[in-house]
Amino acid sequence: MMKRGVIALLTDFGTDDLFVGVMKGVILKINPQVELVDITHNIPPQDIFSAGFLLKSGYHYFPRGCIFLVVVDPGVGSERKAVVVCTKNYFFVGPDNGVLSLAAEDDGIEKIVCLENEQFFLTPLSHTFAGRDVFAPVAAYLSRGEKPERLGRNLDTIEKIHLPLPRVKPEYKPPLFCGKVAFSSEVEEHILQGEVIYIDHFGNLITNIEKDIFTNFVQDRKFIIKIKGRKIFSLSDSYQSVKKEEILAIFDSFNLLEISVNCHSAKQLLGVERGERVEVEIVREE
Amino acid sequence: MMKRGVIALLTDFGTDDLFVGVMKGVILKINPQVELVDITHNIPPQDIFSAGFLLKSGYHYFPRGCIFLVVVDPGVGSERKAVVVCTKNYFFVGPDNGVLSLAAEDDGIEKIVCLENEQFFLTPLSHTFAGRDVFAPVAAYLSRGEKPERLGRNLDTIEKIHLPLPRVKPEYKPPLFCGKVAFSSEVEEHILQGEVIYIDHFGNLITNIEKDIFTNFVQDRKFIIKIKGRKIFSLSDSYQSVKKEEILAIFDSFNLLEISVNCHSAKQLLGVERGERVEVEIVREE
Amino acid sequence: MMKRGVIALLTDFGTDDLFVGVMKGVILKINPQVELVDITHNIPPQDIFSAGFLLKSGYHYFPRGCIFLVVVDPGVGSERKAVVVCTKNYFFVGPDNGVLSLAAEDDGIEKIVCLENEQFFLTPLSHTFAGRDVFAPVAAYLSRGEKPERLGRNLDTIEKIHLPLPRVKPEYKPPLFCGKVAFSSEVEEHILQGEVIYIDHFGNLITNIEKDIFTNFVQDRKFIIKIKGRKIFSLSDSYQSVKKEEILAIFDSFNLLEISVNCHSAKQLLGVERGERVEVEIVREE
């Protein structure tokens, strides 16, 4: 008997063409009872990093057993593998180009299967649309309870991508001696350097600085957050804690440090793109 | 037992990020049987007015008992309340900033509950994403038949927004005496002044002049509709009743006076933004 | 009893307003059990050709019995007919302006019904939104098993649109005699001329040259593909078979010749719009 399940779709297909609709048609032909949820189809074309980051940020909000159908696939038709990754609570179906790795490793990988059994594919296979011919039908069969091991051979590992990690810069330079100023001679870590790794629809600048890292670094010391010549001296509890169009720093809903502007786009107001440097600097008390 | 219901989503989250998908994941975790319908997620950021206007225009086309999950929430994380408004036929869940008021009052408010019972929230609560942490789970529990009174304490009223109303201008100025021209000396109401309150995807200009108001005002008199220097002398029955790229006036599917251009964008052709004045002027017969 | 079915929506309504949501509300009021799938709502306004082409390209991937609700309807409110076309495997509901014809003829038309029975419409009928008032409720009743013949009177034919066909140009001009060059004096067909009929989200240029036509024309001869001054000397098996940002030709997932650029937009890089000429030229061996 069929089982009802959830397939969540994440692609760079956009919503102007029929790619997404056709994948859904293929799925419903195989499992009419499945629930289909769009995460987004507006990943910038071929941007494996953004897709992988979003997937990692959100996957655990979905019901246990959910099948993530992820198609950001610049290597479609080439030798790149197609895989299903079974984790502790979920299934991730997509190309083996790293896009699945952040989320799958976060949940705990239990099995990796290389999709090779053409019995579960559409035929003839096209060279340009594995989403329709391979990933959608495989996800549909999984949602009906098909065993992953029947889909192909086991793999030991998948391709990986990595989020850039924030770095602590121990660039302490002892001041020139100038009179009787007392200062600690030990080299202190006094700058935490991160970067903007994602910019959302509202123009909020999401950095790679997690709340735990920030808190451990800052402790009870005074700090300044610096980005593109602007300085922020405290953390906010809400966007409206500053005046309209003023800049603020806040821990966002994914526990990442976010630079925002109340009721406006920080991206636009500050002219910032992904990759922009963000620094948390400890203020020395004298 | 679970009940099948409908949750209709209306937000300013856009569809580029994972906000909408994550809210749906949260809902399906709580009620796997619910039907999810997107109204739109492309409300201009923080535009409570547009969201409230669209909600009022369309809510009554949805099945009885439908739960409207409305998140246009510039005050997220501040002291603004979160509410569910129970009306004669529906439930409206969202921030108490006015966005729910036009629709809820139109249907008839029966109960207002301030969302305070954290048992129905996700924890820990973020400061920036009440859609995920408060509104989505509350909507999901409602769709399973949870009683609104269990969600928090009763409120007497909600915040309100108001559509600008059209005005009748009795600005009759008696003409200078010039020969034997006869004219009525009584001051007539001869201009109905409204404005463009919404512009749709096709560039149609939707005004705040309802069909009833127009009809009562005009009666069987001749009229001119004026907008940005253009004049329209009659109402059309269809877009194609004028030539391609010609301007027309029509009562739209929500019974509002709409200024359109056949097979083109009136917004673009006339260079009009929201707020532009529209006048219906009675033509005096001599 | 209600039956579960699939309604697939294809419109030019965009996703900024409430048009699509309201149609779905109307449908769910009539059949709460139906599955709703969006093909796309981003057809360029009033572009019957693009909608008809996409529908033809993808309809057969959907489950048998699927109801296609197609609303690209510049003639709304005029005398154009509203129809349901029953084909061998599907139902197509929409305006009779040609938008349904490519797909319906491809599947095989079995019955055409002119929608006239107002019992299945919303009342009062608006002049501007037949999607809500006519097409959505009719699709919903069909999904519940309503017999098409109850919706109105039979028609013999529907309006048609046509894809432009590629042409073979027998423009062979015998070369001037110059020495002892041997050449075949028979007039050969040596150019296959097509055009770009669709450009997708990735900027891939989809032509009207089907794989069969190409193969029959080229046979085992050498060829050059020409577009906007660029030349391509072979077909690729995948986008990655050439270097990044290099141009290639490939048969796409709908068996049409596609001009692409690896990891970039061919539309943008070549500056090409729909209608651009594409030529496959046979290279004469000397």
Side-chain angles (χ1 to χ4, degrees):
Chain A
M1 290 302 298
M2 288 179 184
K3 306 202 302 182
R4 187 184 161 99
V6 177
I7 296 176
L9 295 89
L10 177 62
T11 79
D12 63 351
F13 289 166
T15 51
D16 291 354
D17 306 308
L18 78 172
F19 303 131
V20 174
V22 160
M23 287 207 302
K24 291 180 178 176
V26 167
I27 291 169
L28 290 170
K29 235 179 185 169
I30 296 168
N31 184 0
Q33 302 301 322
V34 78
E35 180 74 28
L36 299 166
V37 178
D38 299 305
I39 299 179
T40 181
H41 301 291
N42 296 335
I43 297 293
Q46 292 106 26
D47 186 348
I48 292 165
F49 180 84
S50 286
F53 169 70
L54 286 187
L55 188 64
K56 174 187 180 282
S57 302
Y59 78 92
H60 53 288
Y61 290 99
F62 285 77
R64 199 161 189 274
C66 178
I67 296 152
F68 293 94
L69 174 47
V70 182
V71 194
V72 179
D73 193 12
V76 61
S78 73
E79 293 301 303
R80 70 100 185 86
K81 290 192 275 287
V83 293
V84 54
V85 184
C86 312
T87 65
K88 208 172 148 214
N89 300 289
Y90 300 100
F91 300 92
F92 296 89
V93 177
D96 183 27
N97 59 15
V99 71
L100 307 176
S101 66
L102 294 174
E105 295 196 312
D106 191 64
D107 196 45
I109 296 177
E110 302 201 329
K111 185 196 285 280
I112 305 164
V113 176
C114 182
L115 303 175
E116 290 177 331
N117 189 345
E118 298 200 1
Q119 164 188 356
F120 298 101
F121 300 168
L122 252 54
T123 50
L125 281 179
S126 71
H127 295 293
T128 60
F129 195 2
R132 178 192 70 190
D133 301 338
V134 175
F135 300 122
V138 159
Y141 285 113
L142 283 173
S143 74
R144 276 175 42 171
E146 192 59 65
K147 293 215 167 66
E149 45 269 36
R150 292 203 55 218
L151 301 167
R153 70 189 154 93
N154 270 15
L155 293 178
D156 289 331
T157 185
I158 52 171
E159 292 292 320
K160 285 167 196 177
I161 56 172
H162 300 279
L163 289 183
L165 293 177
R167 299 184 300 149
V168 170
K169 289 172 62 184
E171 300 183 333
Y172 176 72
K173 295 185 192 78
L176 296 174
F177 179 82
C178 47
K180 288 184 173 178
V181 177
F183 62 89
S184 159
S185 63
E186 83 190 47
V187 175
E188 283 183 54
E189 299 168 342
H190 78 309
I191 292 180
L192 179 66
Q193 190 182 91
E195 65 183 88
V196 173
I197 54 171
Y198 190 79
I199 301 178
D200 75 15
H201 170 70
F202 297 96
N204 296 317
L205 312 173
I206 289 120
T207 75
N208 60 343
I209 300 175
E210 292 181 4
K211 190 170 185 178
D212 282 354
I213 288 173
F214 181 93
T215 308
N216 278 335
F217 173 75
V218 167
Q219 295 170 354
D220 57 354
R221 298 179 292 177
K222 276 195 186 168
F223 61 88
I224 305 172
I225 298 171
K226 293 179 175 176
I227 180 167
K228 205 148 188 185
R230 305 290 191 110
K231 297 179 180 179
I232 305 168
F233 298 93
S234 66
L235 291 169
S236 288
D237 271 346
S238 84
Y239 296 129
Q240 293 205 335
S241 65
V242 302
K243 287 184 201 147
K244 281 204 180 186
E245 315 219 344
E246 273 187 13
I247 190 173
L248 64 105
I250 193 167
F251 281 106
D252 74 2
S253 57
F254 303 100
N255 277 324
L256 295 171
L257 184 68
E258 179 181 306
I259 311 300
S260 305
V261 168
N262 185 19
C263 285
H264 205 76
S265 163
K267 173 192 164 79
Q268 204 181 311
L269 212 79
L270 277 67
V272 164
E273 297 297 330
R274 195 166 91 187
E276 181 74 32
R277 182 183 296 186
V278 180
E279 290 190 338
V280 182
E281 186 176 331
I282 299 301
V283 182
R284 306 168 143 273
E285 319 233 19
E286 295 179 26
Chain B
M1 290 302 298
M2 287 180 187
K3 306 203 302 182
R4 187 184 161 99
V6 178
I7 296 176
L9 295 89
L10 178 62
T11 79
D12 63 352
F13 289 167
T15 51
D16 291 353
D17 306 308
L18 77 172
F19 302 131
V20 174
V22 160
M23 286 207 302
K24 290 180 178 176
V26 167
I27 291 168
L28 290 171
K29 234 179 185 169
I30 296 168
N31 184 0
Q33 302 302 321
V34 79
E35 179 75 27
L36 299 167
V37 178
D38 299 304
I39 298 178
T40 180
H41 302 290
N42 297 335
I43 297 292
Q46 292 106 26
D47 185 348
I48 293 166
F49 180 84
S50 287
F53 169 71
L54 287 187
L55 188 64
K56 174 187 180 281
S57 302
Y59 78 92
H60 54 288
Y61 289 99
F62 284 77
R64 199 161 190 273
C66 178
I67 297 152
F68 293 94
L69 174 48
V70 183
V71 195
V72 180
D73 193 12
V76 60
S78 72
E79 293 301 304
R80 68 101 185 86
K81 290 192 275 286
V83 293
V84 53
V85 184
C86 312
T87 65
K88 209 172 147 215
N89 299 289
Y90 300 100
F91 301 91
F92 296 89
V93 178
D96 183 27
N97 59 15
V99 71
L100 307 176
S101 65
L102 294 173
E105 295 196 311
D106 191 64
D107 196 46
I109 296 176
E110 302 201 330
K111 185 197 285 280
I112 305 164
V113 176
C114 182
L115 303 175
E116 290 178 331
N117 188 345
E118 298 200 1
Q119 164 189 357
F120 299 101
F121 301 167
L122 254 54
T123 50
L125 280 179
S126 70
H127 295 294
T128 60
F129 195 2
R132 178 191 70 189
D133 302 336
V134 175
F135 301 122
V138 159
Y141 285 113
L142 283 173
S143 74
R144 277 175 41 170
E146 193 59 66
K147 294 216 167 66
E149 45 269 37
R150 292 204 54 217
L151 302 168
R153 71 189 153 92
N154 271 15
L155 293 178
D156 290 331
T157 185
I158 52 171
E159 292 293 320
K160 285 168 194 176
I161 57 172
H162 300 279
L163 289 182
L165 293 176
R167 299 183 300 148
V168 170
K169 290 171 59 182
E171 300 182 334
Y172 176 73
K173 296 185 191 76
L176 296 175
F177 180 81
C178 47
K180 287 185 177 178
V181 178
F183 61 90
S184 160
S185 63
E186 83 190 45
V187 175
E188 283 183 53
E189 300 169 341
H190 78 308
I191 292 180
L192 179 66
Q193 189 181 92
E195 65 184 86
V196 173
I197 55 171
Y198 189 78
I199 301 178
D200 75 15
H201 170 71
F202 296 96
N204 296 316
L205 312 173
I206 289 118
T207 75
N208 60 342
I209 301 176
E210 292 182 3
K211 190 171 186 178
D212 282 354
I213 288 173
F214 181 93
T215 309
N216 279 335
F217 173 75
V218 168
Q219 294 169 354
D220 57 355
R221 298 180 291 177
K222 277 194 187 169
F223 61 87
I224 306 172
I225 298 171
K226 294 180 175 175
I227 180 168
K228 205 147 187 186
R230 305 289 191 110
K231 296 180 181 179
I232 305 167
F233 297 92
S234 66
L235 291 169
S236 289
D237 270 346
S238 84
Y239 296 130
Q240 293 205 335
S241 65
V242 301
K243 287 186 201 146
K244 281 204 181 185
E245 314 220 346
E246 273 187 13
I247 191 174
L248 64 106
I250 193 167
F251 281 105
D252 74 2
S253 57
F254 303 101
N255 277 325
L256 294 172
L257 183 68
E258 179 182 306
I259 310 301
S260 304
V261 168
N262 184 20
C263 286
H264 205 77
S265 163
K267 172 193 164 80
Q268 204 180 311
L269 212 79
L270 276 67
V272 164
E273 298 297 330
R274 195 165 91 188
E276 181 74 32
R277 183 183 296 186
V278 181
E279 290 189 338
V280 182
E281 185 176 331
I282 299 301
V283 181
R284 306 165 142 276
E285 319 233 16
E286 296 181 26
Chain C
M1 290 302 298
M2 287 180 186
K3 306 202 303 182
R4 186 183 161 99
V6 178
I7 296 176
L9 295 90
L10 177 62
T11 79
D12 63 350
F13 289 167
T15 51
D16 291 354
D17 305 308
L18 78 171
F19 302 130
V20 174
V22 160
M23 286 207 302
K24 292 180 178 176
V26 167
I27 291 169
L28 290 171
K29 234 179 186 169
I30 296 168
N31 184 0
Q33 303 300 322
V34 78
E35 179 74 28
L36 299 167
V37 178
D38 299 304
I39 299 178
T40 180
H41 302 290
N42 296 335
I43 297 292
Q46 291 105 27
D47 185 348
I48 292 165
F49 180 85
S50 286
F53 169 70
L54 286 187
L55 188 64
K56 175 187 179 282
S57 303
Y59 77 92
H60 54 287
Y61 290 99
F62 285 77
R64 200 163 189 273
C66 178
I67 296 153
F68 293 94
L69 174 47
V70 183
V71 195
V72 179
D73 193 12
V76 61
S78 72
E79 292 302 302
R80 69 102 185 85
K81 290 192 275 287
V83 294
V84 53
V85 184
C86 312
T87 65
K88 209 173 147 214
N89 299 289
Y90 299 101
F91 300 91
F92 296 89
V93 178
D96 183 27
N97 59 17
V99 71
L100 307 176
S101 66
L102 295 173
E105 295 195 312
D106 191 66
D107 196 44
I109 296 177
E110 302 202 329
K111 185 198 285 280
I112 305 164
V113 176
C114 182
L115 303 175
E116 289 178 331
N117 188 345
E118 299 201 359
Q119 164 189 356
F120 298 101
F121 300 168
L122 253 54
T123 51
L125 281 179
S126 71
H127 295 293
T128 60
F129 195 2
R132 179 191 70 190
D133 301 338
V134 175
F135 300 122
V138 159
Y141 285 112
L142 283 173
S143 74
R144 277 174 42 170
E146 193 58 67
K147 293 216 167 67
E149 45 269 36
R150 292 202 57 217
L151 302 167
R153 70 188 155 94
N154 270 16
L155 293 178
D156 290 330
T157 185
I158 51 171
E159 292 292 320
K160 286 168 194 176
I161 57 172
H162 300 280
L163 289 183
L165 293 176
R167 299 184 301 149
V168 170
K169 289 172 59 182
E171 299 183 334
Y172 177 73
K173 295 185 192 77
L176 295 174
F177 180 82
C178 47
K180 289 185 178 177
V181 177
F183 63 89
S184 158
S185 64
E186 82 190 46
V187 175
E188 284 183 52
E189 298 169 343
H190 78 307
I191 291 180
L192 178 67
Q193 190 181 91
E195 65 183 88
V196 173
I197 55 171
Y198 189 79
I199 301 178
D200 74 15
H201 170 70
F202 297 97
N204 296 316
L205 312 172
I206 289 118
T207 75
N208 60 343
I209 301 176
E210 292 182 3
K211 189 171 186 177
D212 282 354
I213 288 172
F214 181 93
T215 308
N216 279 334
F217 173 75
V218 167
Q219 295 170 354
D220 57 355
R221 298 180 291 178
K222 276 194 185 168
F223 61 87
I224 305 172
I225 298 171
K226 293 180 174 175
I227 180 167
K228 205 150 187 184
R230 305 290 190 109
K231 296 178 181 180
I232 305 168
F233 297 92
S234 66
L235 290 170
S236 289
D237 271 347
S238 83
Y239 296 130
Q240 293 205 336
S241 64
V242 301
K243 287 186 200 145
K244 281 204 180 185
E245 315 219 345
E246 273 186 14
I247 190 172
L248 65 105
I250 192 167
F251 281 105
D252 74 2
S253 57
F254 302 101
N255 276 325
L256 294 172
L257 183 68
E258 178 181 306
I259 311 300
S260 304
V261 169
N262 184 19
C263 285
H264 204 77
S265 162
K267 173 193 163 80
Q268 205 180 309
L269 211 79
L270 277 67
V272 164
E273 298 296 329
R274 195 165 92 187
E276 181 74 33
R277 182 184 297 186
V278 180
E279 290 189 338
V280 182
E281 186 176 331
I282 299 301
V283 181
R284 306 166 140 273
E285 320 234 16
E286 296 180 28

